[in-house]
Amino acid sequence: MNSHAIIFDCSSTGLDEQLALALKTIADSYYDATGEPIVVTAGKRTLQRQAELMANFSKEQLEAMYCRHGYPSYISQILALPNPHDAVAVHHVLANRTEGYISKHLYGQAVDIDAASISSPILFKQICNAAGLSVLDERENNVPCFHLTMAK
């Protein structure tokens, strides 16, 4: 791997091995094509960190990012809180949910790439797809990142 191809602005600890290998591949390919490193801003995270992030999202962002495949009850519960921006209360909802998928970040199976580090999003997405990664462009939800997971 080109040591200049990837910058971690977070810990790389706990990443799924297959995802980590694919990430190195796409970083090298993107760097070779553009001369620009990719910047990883998030990898594996705790439920507490997930709650902190979710507490900062608007209703529209929560629904767009967590209701892609249905409307989990934990989203309804978060939005019904007296203060849905209270990370402690959001954590309580997430920790006590009885159903619903939250995020592959919790298992080290997702990373976020700083969108500002990607000057050619189309090329980046093509490289990711060729390496077996799915890409969600979260800029559509006013979150400045590309969310990467292993394609199914």
Side-chain angles (χ1 to χ4, degrees):
M1 182 176 121
N2 184 324
S3 63
H4 301 292
I6 190 165
I7 298 168
F8 280 92
D9 274 356
C10 62
S11 173
S12 61
T13 303
L15 286 183
D16 175 86
E17 187 176 317
Q18 187 178 7
L19 177 61
L21 290 172
L23 188 59
K24 290 175 186 176
T25 298
I26 63 130
D28 282 342
S29 295
Y30 189 75
Y31 188 85
D32 289 346
T34 66
E36 301 166 353
I38 63 170
V39 178
V40 181
T41 58
K44 184 175 182 179
R45 63 176 67 125
T46 64
L47 189 62
Q48 178 62 40
R49 179 65 181 137
Q50 186 71 37
E52 291 166 0
L53 293 169
M54 291 174 75
N56 285 316
F57 291 143
S58 68
K59 174 185 187 287
E60 293 75 22
Q61 287 172 312
L62 285 170
E63 290 176 340
M65 291 190 290
Y66 298 96
C67 299
R68 288 181 173 117
H69 305 287
Y71 206 101
S73 62
Y74 68 85
I75 294 297
S76 298
Q77 292 168 7
I78 290 169
L79 294 173
L81 290 169
N83 179 4
H85 300 294
D86 177 350
V88 173
V90 171
H91 180 266
H92 180 77
V93 168
L94 295 178
N96 292 291
R97 74 190 187 291
T98 57
E99 52 79 28
Y101 167 80
I102 299 174
S103 174
K104 288 189 176 190
H105 281 286
L106 298 173
Y107 309 100
Q109 297 174 344
V111 294
D112 292 336
I113 306 299
D114 183 2
S117 73
I118 305 299
S119 65
S120 180
I122 292 171
L123 174 64
F124 180 71
K125 290 175 188 178
Q126 290 170 340
I127 290 170
C128 288
N129 292 150
L133 295 173
S134 294
V135 181
L136 294 174
D137 187 345
E138 297 295 9
R139 296 175 303 169
E140 299 167 359
N141 300 311
N142 293 315
V143 178
C145 75
F146 294 98
H147 176 84
L148 308 181
T149 58
M150 294 304 300
K152 291 182 178 182

